[in-house]
Amino acid sequence: MTPTLVPHHPARDWAEIQERMLVPLYEAVYDRVGVGARSRLLGLGSGTGLALLMAAARGARVAGVDRDHARVELARERLPEDVPVAKDAADVPAGDLPYDVITAFHATDGLLPELAALTRTAQSDAVVVLAGWGPPERCATEPVLRVADRLADRAPSVRADLDGLVAGSGLRPAGSGRVACPFGYADGASAVRGLLSTGAFDEAVRATELSQVEKEIEEALAPYVRADGTVWMPNVFRYVLARVP
């Protein structure tokens, strides 16, 4: 696999390489929840705005929150001017209607305080969607993610306890589902840049050199490189649905 030589711009790499891999998840959730012209949706961890764009295309009124400043700035470039996106939910204008759909497509266990606070102000019976990695045996990316944990010298930390988040936030469970989200890349360099843009390797990069992290990702990707140089990794993501009491 050819080493990565292109300078890293994580937010732009997320927007241009990685974010589209989750389109099947966004579509499946929006279909199941019935996102449409009457929906008012708040996206937590809304990234560079693709999921918000897809909801807006269905007629929903949308707003987003993401702690990454660079992703927020890119989202503002991509989204219509009347779509609010901020680093903190408190900075998103409340508008004249409460949210009836709250999504966290990249849920982490650290989301609990923010989620609990938001659901207290959401519309009663609003739908909350939390999503994350599916079973390890159904995710080809799992060995690559273990590289991040080993280099950062930490316990496995990527998988959020989605059901625990629902219970801890005082929400009512309302179902779950799984969606195939294969990761496909034009070449090994794109795969490395895309995976680095997820944030899963940030701690590993701080603990060692970027070049070492790249090298070990490339080695872990080797079984998924096809004869033509493309990279294909079948994955399954899981989502849970809950209701605000």
Side-chain angles (χ1 to χ4, degrees), residues 72-96:
V72 168
E73 290 304 308
L74 278 178
R76 287 172 176 164
E77 292 178 12
R78 301 171 77 185
L79 292 161
E81 291 184 0
D82 61 347
V83 174
V85 183
K87 289 186 64 178
D88 191 294
D91 297 326
V92 177
D96 55 354

PDB file of all heavy atoms in Angstrom, residues 72-96:
ATOM      1  N   VAL A  72     -17.764  22.417  12.096  1.00  0.00           N
ATOM      2  CA  VAL A  72     -18.857  23.401  12.135  1.00  0.00           C
ATOM      3  C   VAL A  72     -18.689  24.404  11.007  1.00  0.00           C
ATOM      4  O   VAL A  72     -19.657  24.752  10.309  1.00  0.00           O
ATOM      5  CB  VAL A  72     -18.893  24.109  13.503  1.00  0.00           C
ATOM      6  CG1 VAL A  72     -19.815  25.325  13.459  1.00  0.00           C
ATOM      7  CG2 VAL A  72     -19.375  23.148  14.586  1.00  0.00           C
ATOM      8  N   GLU A  73     -17.472  24.890  10.799  1.00  0.00           N
ATOM      9  CA  GLU A  73     -17.237  25.874   9.744  1.00  0.00           C
ATOM     10  C   GLU A  73     -17.542  25.289   8.362  1.00  0.00           C
ATOM     11  O   GLU A  73     -18.148  25.962   7.513  1.00  0.00           O
ATOM     12  CB  GLU A  73     -15.797  26.378   9.805  1.00  0.00           C
ATOM     13  CG  GLU A  73     -15.509  27.249  11.018  1.00  0.00           C
ATOM     14  CD  GLU A  73     -16.451  28.431  11.105  1.00  0.00           C
ATOM     15  OE1 GLU A  73     -16.581  29.153  10.103  1.00  0.00           O
ATOM     16  OE2 GLU A  73     -17.068  28.622  12.170  1.00  0.00           O
ATOM     17  N   LEU A  74     -17.152  24.039   8.114  1.00  0.00           N
ATOM     18  CA  LEU A  74     -17.463  23.406   6.836  1.00  0.00           C
ATOM     19  C   LEU A  74     -18.964  23.206   6.670  1.00  0.00           C
ATOM     20  O   LEU A  74     -19.518  23.389   5.578  1.00  0.00           O
ATOM     21  CB  LEU A  74     -16.746  22.062   6.722  1.00  0.00           C
ATOM     22  CG  LEU A  74     -15.288  22.096   6.272  1.00  0.00           C
ATOM     23  CD1 LEU A  74     -14.706  20.690   6.257  1.00  0.00           C
ATOM     24  CD2 LEU A  74     -15.162  22.719   4.881  1.00  0.00           C
ATOM     25  N   ALA A  75     -19.633  22.815   7.765  1.00  0.00           N
ATOM     26  CA  ALA A  75     -21.086  22.637   7.695  1.00  0.00           C
ATOM     27  C   ALA A  75     -21.771  23.950   7.325  1.00  0.00           C
ATOM     28  O   ALA A  75     -22.722  23.970   6.528  1.00  0.00           O
ATOM     29  CB  ALA A  75     -21.612  22.112   9.026  1.00  0.00           C
ATOM     30  N   ARG A  76     -21.306  25.042   7.868  1.00  0.00           N
ATOM     31  CA  ARG A  76     -21.900  26.345   7.560  1.00  0.00           C
ATOM     32  C   ARG A  76     -21.707  26.711   6.095  1.00  0.00           C
ATOM     33  O   ARG A  76     -22.542  27.391   5.493  1.00  0.00           O
ATOM     34  CB  ARG A  76     -21.296  27.417   8.470  1.00  0.00           C
ATOM     35  CG  ARG A  76     -21.778  27.328   9.923  1.00  0.00           C
ATOM     36  CD  ARG A  76     -21.029  28.271  10.826  1.00  0.00           C
ATOM     37  NE  ARG A  76     -21.566  28.241  12.194  1.00  0.00           N
ATOM     38  CZ  ARG A  76     -20.930  28.727  13.251  1.00  0.00           C
ATOM     39  NH1 ARG A  76     -19.737  29.295  13.105  1.00  0.00           N
ATOM     40  NH2 ARG A  76     -21.484  28.645  14.445  1.00  0.00           N
ATOM     41  N   GLU A  77     -20.598  26.255   5.508  1.00  0.00           N
ATOM     42  CA  GLU A  77     -20.365  26.502   4.081  1.00  0.00           C
ATOM     43  C   GLU A  77     -21.330  25.681   3.217  1.00  0.00           C
ATOM     44  O   GLU A  77     -21.758  26.146   2.152  1.00  0.00           O
ATOM     45  CB  GLU A  77     -18.929  26.134   3.707  1.00  0.00           C
ATOM     46  CG  GLU A  77     -17.857  27.034   4.300  1.00  0.00           C
ATOM     47  CD  GLU A  77     -16.459  26.565   3.929  1.00  0.00           C
ATOM     48  OE1 GLU A  77     -16.343  25.699   3.033  1.00  0.00           O
ATOM     49  OE2 GLU A  77     -15.489  27.066   4.530  1.00  0.00           O
ATOM     50  N   ARG A  78     -21.663  24.491   3.662  1.00  0.00           N
ATOM     51  CA  ARG A  78     -22.455  23.563   2.848  1.00  0.00           C
ATOM     52  C   ARG A  78     -23.959  23.773   3.013  1.00  0.00           C
ATOM     53  O   ARG A  78     -24.723  23.483   2.092  1.00  0.00           O
ATOM     54  CB  ARG A  78     -22.123  22.115   3.244  1.00  0.00           C
ATOM     55  CG  ARG A  78     -20.688  21.734   3.078  1.00  0.00           C
ATOM     56  CD  ARG A  78     -20.385  20.377   3.689  1.00  0.00           C
ATOM     57  NE  ARG A  78     -20.847  19.277   2.861  1.00  0.00           N
ATOM     58  CZ  ARG A  78     -20.791  18.005   3.206  1.00  0.00           C
ATOM     59  NH1 ARG A  78     -20.301  17.662   4.381  1.00  0.00           N
ATOM     60  NH2 ARG A  78     -21.220  17.062   2.399  1.00  0.00           N
ATOM     61  N   LEU A  79     -24.372  24.234   4.186  1.00  0.00           N
ATOM     62  CA  LEU A  79     -25.792  24.326   4.503  1.00  0.00           C
ATOM     63  C   LEU A  79     -26.348  25.700   4.160  1.00  0.00           C
ATOM     64  O   LEU A  79     -25.613  26.690   4.111  1.00  0.00           O
ATOM     65  CB  LEU A  79     -26.010  24.045   5.994  1.00  0.00           C
ATOM     66  CG  LEU A  79     -25.726  22.608   6.443  1.00  0.00           C
ATOM     67  CD1 LEU A  79     -25.522  22.557   7.956  1.00  0.00           C
ATOM     68  CD2 LEU A  79     -26.868  21.689   6.026  1.00  0.00           C
ATOM     69  N   PRO A  80     -27.665  25.796   3.932  1.00  0.00           N
ATOM     70  CA  PRO A  80     -28.286  27.106   3.723  1.00  0.00           C
ATOM     71  C   PRO A  80     -28.048  28.024   4.923  1.00  0.00           C
ATOM     72  O   PRO A  80     -27.862  27.564   6.051  1.00  0.00           O
ATOM     73  CB  PRO A  80     -29.779  26.757   3.586  1.00  0.00           C
ATOM     74  CG  PRO A  80     -29.802  25.332   3.146  1.00  0.00           C
ATOM     75  CD  PRO A  80     -28.625  24.679   3.809  1.00  0.00           C
ATOM     76  N   GLU A  81     -28.043  29.306   4.677  1.00  0.00           N
ATOM     77  CA  GLU A  81     -27.729  30.279   5.730  1.00  0.00           C
ATOM     78  C   GLU A  81     -28.702  30.220   6.893  1.00  0.00           C
ATOM     79  O   GLU A  81     -28.351  30.596   8.018  1.00  0.00           O
ATOM     80  CB  GLU A  81     -27.715  31.695   5.141  1.00  0.00           C
ATOM     81  CG  GLU A  81     -26.553  31.952   4.198  1.00  0.00           C
ATOM     82  CD  GLU A  81     -26.502  33.378   3.718  1.00  0.00           C
ATOM     83  OE1 GLU A  81     -27.392  34.178   4.135  1.00  0.00           O
ATOM     84  OE2 GLU A  81     -25.603  33.718   2.929  1.00  0.00           O
ATOM     85  N   ASP A  82     -29.928  29.766   6.656  1.00  0.00           N
ATOM     86  CA  ASP A  82     -30.911  29.757   7.733  1.00  0.00           C
ATOM     87  C   ASP A  82     -30.849  28.497   8.592  1.00  0.00           C
ATOM     88  O   ASP A  82     -31.677  28.314   9.486  1.00  0.00           O
ATOM     89  CB  ASP A  82     -32.329  29.932   7.171  1.00  0.00           C
ATOM     90  CG  ASP A  82     -32.721  28.806   6.211  1.00  0.00           C
ATOM     91  OD1 ASP A  82     -31.823  28.038   5.791  1.00  0.00           O
ATOM     92  OD2 ASP A  82     -33.924  28.691   5.895  1.00  0.00           O
ATOM     93  N   VAL A  83     -29.870  27.626   8.340  1.00  0.00           N
ATOM     94  CA  VAL A  83     -29.700  26.418   9.158  1.00  0.00           C
ATOM     95  C   VAL A  83     -28.656  26.708  10.223  1.00  0.00           C
ATOM     96  O   VAL A  83     -27.471  26.901   9.907  1.00  0.00           O
ATOM     97  CB  VAL A  83     -29.268  25.211   8.306  1.00  0.00           C
ATOM     98  CG1 VAL A  83     -28.950  24.019   9.210  1.00  0.00           C
ATOM     99  CG2 VAL A  83     -30.355  24.849   7.310  1.00  0.00           C
ATOM    100  N   PRO A  84     -29.040  26.749  11.498  1.00  0.00           N
ATOM    101  CA  PRO A  84     -28.072  27.039  12.553  1.00  0.00           C
ATOM    102  C   PRO A  84     -27.221  25.813  12.887  1.00  0.00           C
ATOM    103  O   PRO A  84     -27.720  24.708  13.031  1.00  0.00           O
ATOM    104  CB  PRO A  84     -28.952  27.425  13.748  1.00  0.00           C
ATOM    105  CG  PRO A  84     -30.255  26.738  13.509  1.00  0.00           C
ATOM    106  CD  PRO A  84     -30.418  26.648  12.016  1.00  0.00           C
ATOM    107  N   VAL A  85     -25.908  26.030  12.980  1.00  0.00           N
ATOM    108  CA  VAL A  85     -24.968  24.987  13.401  1.00  0.00           C
ATOM    109  C   VAL A  85     -23.997  25.642  14.382  1.00  0.00           C
ATOM    110  O   VAL A  85     -23.472  26.715  14.116  1.00  0.00           O
ATOM    111  CB  VAL A  85     -24.182  24.398  12.217  1.00  0.00           C
ATOM    112  CG1 VAL A  85     -23.281  23.264  12.691  1.00  0.00           C
ATOM    113  CG2 VAL A  85     -25.120  23.900  11.130  1.00  0.00           C
ATOM    114  N   ALA A  86     -23.769  25.001  15.519  1.00  0.00           N
ATOM    115  CA  ALA A  86     -22.933  25.590  16.557  1.00  0.00           C
ATOM    116  C   ALA A  86     -22.135  24.517  17.266  1.00  0.00           C
ATOM    117  O   ALA A  86     -22.355  23.318  17.080  1.00  0.00           O
ATOM    118  CB  ALA A  86     -23.800  26.360  17.559  1.00  0.00           C
ATOM    119  N   LYS A  87     -21.177  24.945  18.107  1.00  0.00           N
ATOM    120  CA  LYS A  87     -20.368  24.006  18.874  1.00  0.00           C
ATOM    121  C   LYS A  87     -21.072  23.564  20.144  1.00  0.00           C
ATOM    122  O   LYS A  87     -20.694  22.562  20.747  1.00  0.00           O
ATOM    123  CB  LYS A  87     -19.026  24.642  19.240  1.00  0.00           C
ATOM    124  CG  LYS A  87     -18.073  24.822  18.072  1.00  0.00           C
ATOM    125  CD  LYS A  87     -16.729  25.316  18.552  1.00  0.00           C
ATOM    126  CE  LYS A  87     -16.039  24.301  19.448  1.00  0.00           C
ATOM    127  NZ  LYS A  87     -14.699  24.750  19.888  1.00  0.00           N
ATOM    128  N   ASP A  88     -22.090  24.311  20.553  1.00  0.00           N
ATOM    129  CA  ASP A  88     -22.801  23.998  21.793  1.00  0.00           C
ATOM    130  C   ASP A  88     -24.290  24.155  21.548  1.00  0.00           C
ATOM    131  O   ASP A  88     -24.720  25.109  20.894  1.00  0.00           O
ATOM    132  CB  ASP A  88     -22.352  24.951  22.914  1.00  0.00           C
ATOM    133  CG  ASP A  88     -22.851  24.515  24.272  1.00  0.00           C
ATOM    134  OD1 ASP A  88     -24.081  24.546  24.487  1.00  0.00           O
ATOM    135  OD2 ASP A  88     -22.021  24.139  25.122  1.00  0.00           O
ATOM    136  N   ALA A  89     -25.073  23.223  22.091  1.00  0.00           N
ATOM    137  CA  ALA A  89     -26.522  23.274  21.884  1.00  0.00           C
ATOM    138  C   ALA A  89     -27.121  24.568  22.421  1.00  0.00           C
ATOM    139  O   ALA A  89     -28.133  25.057  21.905  1.00  0.00           O
ATOM    140  CB  ALA A  89     -27.181  22.065  22.534  1.00  0.00           C
ATOM    141  N   ALA A  90     -26.502  25.142  23.441  1.00  0.00           N
ATOM    142  CA  ALA A  90     -27.026  26.378  24.015  1.00  0.00           C
ATOM    143  C   ALA A  90     -26.924  27.539  23.032  1.00  0.00           C
ATOM    144  O   ALA A  90     -27.629  28.545  23.179  1.00  0.00           O
ATOM    145  CB  ALA A  90     -26.270  26.720  25.297  1.00  0.00           C
ATOM    146  N   ASP A  91     -26.064  27.410  22.027  1.00  0.00           N
ATOM    147  CA  ASP A  91     -25.882  28.479  21.044  1.00  0.00           C
ATOM    148  C   ASP A  91     -26.776  28.317  19.818  1.00  0.00           C
ATOM    149  O   ASP A  91     -26.739  29.146  18.904  1.00  0.00           O
ATOM    150  CB  ASP A  91     -24.420  28.532  20.584  1.00  0.00           C
ATOM    151  CG  ASP A  91     -23.472  28.866  21.724  1.00  0.00           C
ATOM    152  OD1 ASP A  91     -23.884  29.634  22.613  1.00  0.00           O
ATOM    153  OD2 ASP A  91     -22.339  28.351  21.724  1.00  0.00           O
ATOM    154  N   VAL A  92     -27.574  27.254  19.785  1.00  0.00           N
ATOM    155  CA  VAL A  92     -28.496  27.040  18.670  1.00  0.00           C
ATOM    156  C   VAL A  92     -29.817  27.712  18.999  1.00  0.00           C
ATOM    157  O   VAL A  92     -30.422  27.414  20.042  1.00  0.00           O
ATOM    158  CB  VAL A  92     -28.724  25.536  18.409  1.00  0.00           C
ATOM    159  CG1 VAL A  92     -29.744  25.333  17.300  1.00  0.00           C
ATOM    160  CG2 VAL A  92     -27.412  24.873  18.038  1.00  0.00           C
ATOM    161  N   PRO A  93     -30.308  28.645  18.166  1.00  0.00           N
ATOM    162  CA  PRO A  93     -31.582  29.311  18.459  1.00  0.00           C
ATOM    163  C   PRO A  93     -32.699  28.308  18.674  1.00  0.00           C
ATOM    164  O   PRO A  93     -32.835  27.321  17.935  1.00  0.00           O
ATOM    165  CB  PRO A  93     -31.826  30.152  17.196  1.00  0.00           C
ATOM    166  CG  PRO A  93     -30.476  30.331  16.590  1.00  0.00           C
ATOM    167  CD  PRO A  93     -29.707  29.096  16.903  1.00  0.00           C
ATOM    168  N   ALA A  94     -33.492  28.545  19.712  1.00  0.00           N
ATOM    169  CA  ALA A  94     -34.554  27.590  20.067  1.00  0.00           C
ATOM    170  C   ALA A  94     -35.666  27.562  19.032  1.00  0.00           C
ATOM    171  O   ALA A  94     -36.311  26.531  18.834  1.00  0.00           O
ATOM    172  CB  ALA A  94     -35.134  27.947  21.433  1.00  0.00           C
ATOM    173  N   GLY A  95     -35.918  28.680  18.360  1.00  0.00           N
ATOM    174  CA  GLY A  95     -37.001  28.707  17.374  1.00  0.00           C
ATOM    175  C   GLY A  95     -38.364  28.719  18.051  1.00  0.00           C
ATOM    176  O   GLY A  95     -38.494  28.823  19.271  1.00  0.00           O
ATOM    177  N   ASP A  96     -39.396  28.566  17.244  1.00  0.00           N
ATOM    178  CA  ASP A  96     -40.751  28.670  17.774  1.00  0.00           C
ATOM    179  C   ASP A  96     -41.386  27.317  18.071  1.00  0.00           C
ATOM    180  O   ASP A  96     -42.516  27.248  18.548  1.00  0.00           O
ATOM    181  CB  ASP A  96     -41.644  29.454  16.798  1.00  0.00           C
ATOM    182  CG  ASP A  96     -41.629  28.845  15.388  1.00  0.00           C
ATOM    183  OD1 ASP A  96     -40.849  27.907  15.160  1.00  0.00           O
ATOM    184  OD2 ASP A  96     -42.407  29.316  14.549  1.00  0.00           O
TER     185      ASP A  96
END
